[in-house]
Amino acid sequence: AVAGSTVELGCSARGDPAPQVQWHKERGDLPWGRHEVDQEHTLRLYAVTSTDAGTYVCTAQSQLGTAAATTFLHV
């Protein structure tokens, strides 16, 4: 990603019952005041900087179990 741009990271999780979906950064916190997660579980990072680079994890959890997916962001 280019510094200063907006990045969208998708996470597709479905099930019955519908899973709870959460995003986190593997080392560190999501950028305070510069991120949001929409109803489709897409994580948006605004005005990214080099400190936002790293591994992001989407975790889906329900009564039936837990699944996780990771992606790496280069800035």
Side-chain angles (χ1 to χ4, degrees):
V2 176
S5 67
T6 297
V7 174
E8 293 186 355
L9 304 176
C11 181
S12 179
R14 296 179 189 85
D16 188 16
Q20 296 279 69
V21 176
Q22 291 186 315
W23 278 97
H24 72 274
K25 189 174 179 188
E26 199 168 68
R27 289 185 177 85
D29 297 321
L30 294 175
W32 190 85
R34 294 188 298 110
H35 79 276
E36 70 177 4
V37 179
D38 67 17
Q39 291 184 335
E40 286 80 38
H41 315 299
T42 299
L43 172 64
R44 282 187 189 81
L45 304 172
Y46 298 102
V48 295
T49 67
S50 59
T51 60
D52 297 325
T55 302
Y56 289 80
V57 182
C58 172
T59 304
Q61 184 172 9
S62 76
Q63 298 164 341
L64 301 177
T66 301
T70 62
T71 188
F72 191 86
L73 174 64
H74 295 274
V75 179

